[in-house]
Every structure is written in C-alpha cells, then in structure tokens.
Amino acid sequence: MTRDISLGTATAQPGTLQYGRWEALRHPTGHAEFLPIIIAQGLEDGPCLWLTAGIHGPEQAGPPVIYQLITQALVDQMRGTIIAVPALSPAGLRTMKREPYHAPTDPNRLWPDGKPETPPDPDKDAPSSLEVAYKRLFEEVQASADYLIDYHNAWTGSIPFSIRDRVLYRPGEDAGDHRTEAEALAARLDEMLRAFGLTIVNEFPAAKYIDEKLHRSTSGAALLLAGIPAFTAELGGGRMPDPAIIAASVVGTRNVMRWAGMLDGEPEPIEGIPVVDAGYPAHRRSTPHVEEACVVLHLARPGDLVRPGDPVAEIRDVWGRPIGDGLIRAEYEGFVIGRYEGICYYAGDPIFVMAVRDEAPLVGPYPEDYFK
Ligand SMILES: [Zn+2]
C-alpha cells in the first residue's frame, strides 16, 4: 500500500518520479507563476518527507541538493514519498533577489502564524499574492508531510549548519498537555538534526524569534503549526554554490531518510565540510561589534572555537595603523559561523556571526499576549 498523494498536476505513482506544476499566483500580464513539483514514491508505504528550496533568490545551493538527491536509483530503494519544491520563490531565483519584485518583503516570513483570522482591516495592505499562495501550500504540507527540510544557504565563507528552532506551545488551560507534546516534538527534531549531521545552531530565543517573524518561516510554520519535525539547512557558499556542501547535504538528507525508516542501511559519513560540535548548545548571535568606525582584518576563521577574551580580529585606521591595542576580542564562548563581508565597519557594526553558548530552554510558551 502506498499513499495517494497529489500536488498540483503531479500525482504519485509508486516506483517512479513524477513532475508537475502547482499554480501559485497570476501575474497582471496573464502569466501564471507556478512552483515546480517533484513527487518521488517508493514501492512500499512509508513517511512523507517534504524538501523545499529556493525561497531566497540569492541562495542557489538548495535546488541542486534536491536535483542530486532525487534519482530513479533512490526511488528504487526508498519507502514512502518525497515531495520536493525546488523553487519556492521563482521570481527571486530568476533575479537572484531575496525579495521577489511582486511581493517586496522577505518571503520566508509569510507562512501562516496560527493566529485566529480577523476581518480585513481597510487601512492595512491586503496579504500579497505570494502570502496567499503559501497559505494554500501550507495546507498541503499539513495534509501530507511527516517531516520537512527547507534548504537555504548562508553567506560566502560561512560554515554550513542546520538551524534548530525552539518549539513554542500555547499557554493557557491546556498548557501542560501542549508542553508535553512540544517536548516530544523537540526530541524528534533533535534526532532528525543529528541524523542530518551538519553543525547544529539553535535559533534565537523565543522573544527575538517572534520579533523577527521566524515562526513564519517555511520550517518554523511546519514545526510549530503542522507539528512535524522540520528545520532550515543553511548551506554555506553565498551566491557560489559549493559542490562539497551540496554533496554533504545530499548525504545528510539520505541519513535523515534512514532515520525516518525510508531507506535501509547504516548512516553514511559526512565528509568534505567542517562539522563543529562545541559540546554545549549554542545559538546564533552577531558579535563582537566595533566601537568606532574602523578597518577590520578578521583573524578567527569560520568553524573556530573561541573563548571570551580571545583576539578574533585586528582593528586599524584606514592608513593601516592599529587602533588602541589593535585587537578585537571575543565576548562570548562559542564558535564562528562566518565573517561579515568586507573590511570597512561603522561604529556598532558586528564583525562575525557566531554560535554562542545557549542557556535558554528549547521548549517554551508563546508570549502571553500572542494569540489575543
Ligand atoms: Zn535563506
């Protein structure tokens, strides 16, 4: 028995790859913006894994992971179904822009937030066509997905990493039950991230997470609203996809499929990329900052473990003379995810993105007033 699964014009056929289109929105010029759909289904029943990519136009390492992973040879071995959407923002991919020209906002903050529907406010802009499309697509995720990975890529020179979102639960009368469910989901997510095998970085603590609308990301909505293990994979490389990272991510995804019971065999080793395990949980933070306008010569390298006080960069004036003792030091214990680009910094600018020791809980309630 295999599950009947369709999305747009693609319908699963056991033992095959199926390709189709899911109409997302209409352009005023009469053109339809469709999302490309791939459905790969094994001959035996099993879970349904959604793989999405291309929601941020400049991040072009994600689609190749899907292309390299999903082959007839994989289908011949697998149980269950993969639904892949390699271009969540076709307009962004075409123009290599984070914000598509027809919906000039971060598209990875447009997924449903779980708040009750309110009557339209005539003084506010209506949701964009893209936001409406993602709302419909989210219903498809809820209907079929058991797991989801959304492939992004971080910037030039950064290490590849997976982001672990915190699992928020609804406060109120049933909070105890919701907390138990949230803890179980967080435990499953932890297993899935470990199966994927890249460096794990926790997402911001809850208040900033909500503030930044990260609960409305593809994986955030899948995790919090659909209640399935889901994460964002931040492949490094910036605009120049790195074949080693793509290959490692394909291996990591096959390892997730083994963990999920979709493939047999032992996990394959992740090779050719740095994998950092600090030995403690860490969440991302932009740090340290420069106190005055200056030139920065980075010393620490992506993947380096640092402790407070360790010199991480040289600081100079534009003539090249050291400012003060000529050094910027780490403020926190953690590891370097990547540098900010360039050498010229204004007062207050951060110079690295780091993963710093994380004391905040991985499961917690939504803010009290969130659903009011
Ligand atoms: Zn992204």
Side-chain angles (χ1 to χ4, degrees):
M1 260 306 285
T2 44
R3 275 198 264 175
D4 292 333
I5 289 179
S6 298
L7 186 60
T9 63
T11 299
Q13 301 287 342
T16 70
L17 291 163
Q18 296 294 322
Y19 301 92
R21 301 172 178 215
W22 184 85
E23 187 172 318
L25 56 95
R26 286 273 165 173
H27 292 293
T29 44
H31 299 83
E33 187 89 318
F34 68 85
L35 306 189
I37 306 297
I38 308 162
I39 303 183
Q41 192 169 65
L43 287 170
E44 287 180 56
D45 199 9
C48 179
L49 169 65
W50 275 62
L51 303 174
T52 54
I55 199 166
H56 286 147
E59 303 176 12
Q60 308 217 331
V65 175
I66 290 174
Y67 305 146
Q68 292 191 17
L69 172 79
I70 301 178
T71 61
Q72 186 60 46
L74 181 80
V75 172
D76 291 344
Q77 300 165 26
M78 65 180 264
R79 284 180 285 276
T81 309
I82 294 174
I83 298 180
V85 188
L88 279 174
S89 174
L93 280 169
R94 288 196 290 270
T95 56
M96 286 184 68
K97 292 281 189 294
R98 189 175 175 94
E99 301 182 349
Y101 59 85
H102 56 77
T105 184
D106 186 335
N108 204 34
R109 308 288 186 271
L110 292 179
W111 293 81
D113 58 11
K115 288 190 176 183
E117 295 249 359
T118 51
D121 181 340
D123 293 321
K124 285 191 177 163
D125 290 343
S128 67
S129 300
L130 192 61
E131 182 170 349
V132 173
Y134 289 159
K135 185 166 184 279
R136 279 193 294 123
L137 189 60
F138 186 71
E139 288 164 8
E140 301 284 355
V141 171
Q142 281 184 304
S144 62
D146 295 303
Y147 310 101
L148 180 144
I149 302 173
D150 189 34
Y151 301 103
H152 288 238
N153 55 285
W155 58 103
T156 306
S158 68
I159 60 166
F161 60 101
S162 305
I163 302 181
R164 182 211 320 256
D165 287 15
R166 287 164 220 276
V167 183
L168 305 180
Y169 60 88
R170 289 169 186 252
E173 282 177 17
D174 299 329
D177 295 343
H178 294 152
R179 183 178 181 90
T180 306
E181 284 171 22
E183 283 170 348
L185 179 56
R188 294 278 288 156
L189 174 61
D190 184 69
E191 289 177 18
M192 186 184 179
L193 286 161
R194 288 178 194 285
F196 191 60
L198 268 59
T199 302
I200 300 170
V201 176
N202 293 347
E203 190 49 284
F204 297 122
K208 183 168 170 71
Y209 180 74
I210 297 277
D211 209 37
E212 299 274 333
K213 295 193 172 72
L214 286 158
H215 60 308
R216 302 192 61 187
S217 70
T218 314
S219 61
L223 181 72
L224 298 183
L225 289 193
I228 61 167
F231 68 88
T232 291
E234 288 285 358
L235 318 179
R239 288 171 176 241
M240 200 69 79
D242 179 339
I245 296 175
I246 291 167
S249 302
V250 170
V251 169
T253 307
R254 281 202 297 264
N255 287 341
V256 166
M257 292 176 70
R258 291 187 179 94
W259 165 78
M262 298 174 73
L263 280 178
D264 291 328
E266 292 297 308
E268 300 163 72
I270 298 288
E271 291 168 341
I273 60 161
V275 178
V276 184
D277 182 358
Y280 48 82
H283 71 83
R284 63 174 163 145
R285 176 172 285 170
S286 294
T287 179
H289 300 75
V290 298
E291 289 180 359
E292 56 192 297
C294 62
V295 168
V296 168
L297 306 179
H298 297 82
L299 295 173
R301 298 176 59 84
D304 282 355
L305 289 158
V306 299
R307 300 185 60 81
D310 286 353
V312 291
E314 291 182 14
I315 178 172
R316 301 190 186 210
D317 66 19
V318 75
W319 291 271
R321 298 172 297 194
I323 296 175
D325 73 353
L327 292 171
I328 302 179
R329 294 180 167 78
E331 296 172 297
Y332 301 97
E333 183 175 28
F335 57 91
V336 176
I337 296 175
R339 305 186 297 204
Y340 275 83
E341 292 180 349
I343 61 167
C344 296
Y345 291 78
Y346 284 87
D349 284 347
I351 64 170
F352 286 102
V353 176
M354 287 190 43
V356 301
R357 189 185 272 274
D358 185 6
E359 313 282 356
L362 287 171
V363 172
Y366 279 95
E368 275 298 331
D369 59 349
Y370 183 77
F371 292 104
K372 289 177 183 155

